[in-house]
Amino acid sequence: MKLRKILGVLTVFVVAALFLAACGNKSSDKNTLKVGVMTLDDATKPVWDQVKKDAAKKGVKLEFVQFTDYNQPNKALVAGDIDVNAFQTRYFLEDWNKKNKENLVSAGDTLISPIRLFSKEASKGKAAYSDIKDLPEGAKIGLNNDATNQSRALFLLQSAGLIKLSTKDGELASVKDITENSKNLEFKEVSAEQVAKTLQNGDVDAAVINNSYAQTAKINYDTTLFVEDVTGPNAKNWINFIAAKPDWKKSDKADAIKTLVKVYQTDKIGKLISKASNGVDRPIWKGAPDTTSSSK
């Protein structure tokens, strides 16, 4: 009997301790955010390191969860494995929401990162082609195989005068929508994380590569053949932002997320975005500093 009583008392203490610990964690969790990002590199790590320091001064702790492909961060956000993510464009999220019947939203704009068409290298540090016109007949071009990024790449190629599309503004384009292809270009469609490898391995003559992957793969920006115009009518579709659940403003993380957006959208971070990326990325929120003078 005594043993049962002792066990009973211990059980009560254990349950109470667990309950108090849970309550304590829940309270502290309000000021902790798990932020989903793509693999941090030389262009993004300095920015997020500074954001983390500035958020900490405001009482918010940031923990970064890194992903290697575009298919995972939104799934992790919906599942509650992370609180927000920062990796995608408006167009990408709209398409993802439709396909997955979700309604993730933007909590705050971050940057715009104009994509580029890169030439393969003839030798280390030297581009095989120095001009769009130099691309040979039947040249192979590497493209992302996901709908939004492929569409963006094809519109870039159209702006460069290499192809013409039947797609109207606001619609996604695919290789099937190419109506004119004067150089008879061939397209190698692979996942976003593989496009840079196709270029580096010499499998293609040129490739349209998203900057996050181009920088991670250390693609030589001197091999750029054409740069996306971020002032055009479709530029708003390619703005990056911090994404959250649709009800985030009513969640216990609301204040922490607002703090994250506030410390990110500062002149200091805007200038650091440009500096860390060597002018490739540009801050894009309302009132962001003009860094175009340092962009390539």
Side-chain angles (χ1 to χ4, degrees):
M1 290 296 291
K2 290 184 178 180
L3 180 59
R4 287 184 180 180
K5 287 183 178 180
I6 292 173
L7 290 175
V9 172
L10 287 174
T11 299
V12 170
F13 277 120
V14 169
V15 171
L18 290 173
F19 177 78
L20 291 173
C23 290
N25 287 338
K26 184 177 180 181
S27 176
S28 62
D29 281 348
K30 290 181 180 180
N31 295 318
T32 298
L33 289 180
K34 288 188 177 181
V35 184
V37 295
M38 300 308 293
T39 303
L40 295 173
D41 55 26
D42 292 343
T44 56
K45 191 175 186 301
V47 175
W48 285 115
D49 282 349
Q50 187 61 55
V51 171
K52 183 176 182 177
K53 291 178 183 178
D54 293 345
K57 293 177 182 178
K58 301 289 185 178
V60 174
K61 180 182 178 181
L62 301 184
E63 297 177 353
F64 299 108
V65 180
Q66 299 183 53
F67 296 90
T68 58
D69 71 80
Y70 291 152
N71 296 314
Q72 300 305 316
N74 284 335
K75 292 180 181 178
L77 180 54
V78 171
D81 297 329
I82 57 177
D83 300 302
V84 294
N85 67 43
F87 79 101
Q88 65 196 318
T89 64
R90 292 188 186 281
Y91 221 155
F92 185 91
L93 181 61
E94 288 176 5
D95 184 63
W96 190 90
N97 276 336
K98 288 178 182 178
K99 290 179 177 177
N100 293 276
K101 297 181 180 179
E102 296 291 347
N103 192 30
L104 299 180
V105 299
S106 168
D109 294 338
T110 55
L111 56 84
I112 191 164
S113 189
I115 59 172
R116 288 162 163 73
L117 174 66
F118 294 96
S119 166
K120 70 178 182 181
E121 292 188 354
S123 58
K124 190 171 181 58
K126 185 177 181 181
Y129 312 107
S130 58
D131 191 279
I132 287 286
K133 297 177 182 178
D134 296 336
L135 287 172
E137 180 81 9
K140 294 180 179 179
I141 308 295
L143 297 176
N144 285 359
N145 61 7
D146 72 82
T148 54
N149 283 300
Q150 181 172 119
S151 178
R152 187 181 185 184
L154 290 172
F155 276 111
L156 176 73
L157 297 178
Q158 178 172 254
S159 297
L162 291 171
I163 60 172
K164 285 189 178 181
L165 300 165
S166 60
T167 316
K168 298 178 181 178
D169 288 343
E171 296 180 352
L172 291 176
S174 71
V175 292
K176 296 179 181 178
D177 298 309
I178 298 173
T179 56
E180 290 186 29
N181 183 2
S182 60
K183 285 182 175 287
N184 294 312
L185 302 175
E186 295 182 23
F187 300 97
K188 187 175 181 65
E189 304 169 63
V190 297
S191 59
E193 65 272 17
Q194 295 297 319
V195 182
K197 290 182 181 179
T198 66
L199 186 68
Q200 292 172 321
N201 293 339
D203 298 331
V204 294
D205 296 287
V208 181
I209 309 174
N210 292 50
N211 285 304
S212 57
Y213 288 113
Q215 290 165 340
T216 299
K218 300 189 182 303
I219 297 294
N220 182 2
Y221 274 69
D222 290 337
T223 64
T224 297
L225 289 172
F226 196 80
V227 184
E228 181 181 46
D229 179 9
V230 296
T231 64
N234 291 320
K236 63 181 181 180
N237 293 324
W238 311 122
I239 290 175
N240 287 260
F241 53 87
I242 296 168
K245 291 184 177 180
D247 60 347
W248 71 269
K249 291 183 180 179
K250 297 180 180 179
S251 73
D252 61 353
K253 302 278 187 174
D255 289 341
I257 294 174
K258 289 177 182 177
T259 297
L260 168 60
V261 174
K262 186 175 181 179
V263 299
Y264 192 106
Q265 294 181 344
T266 62
D267 284 359
K268 176 171 66 175
I269 296 300
K271 293 174 182 178
L272 185 55
I273 287 170
S274 179
K275 180 180 179 181
S277 67
N278 292 317
V280 172
D281 299 332
R282 306 178 191 179
I284 199 66
W285 58 86
K286 185 177 180 180
D290 182 2
T291 62
T292 54
S293 61
S294 62
S295 64
K296 290 183 179 182

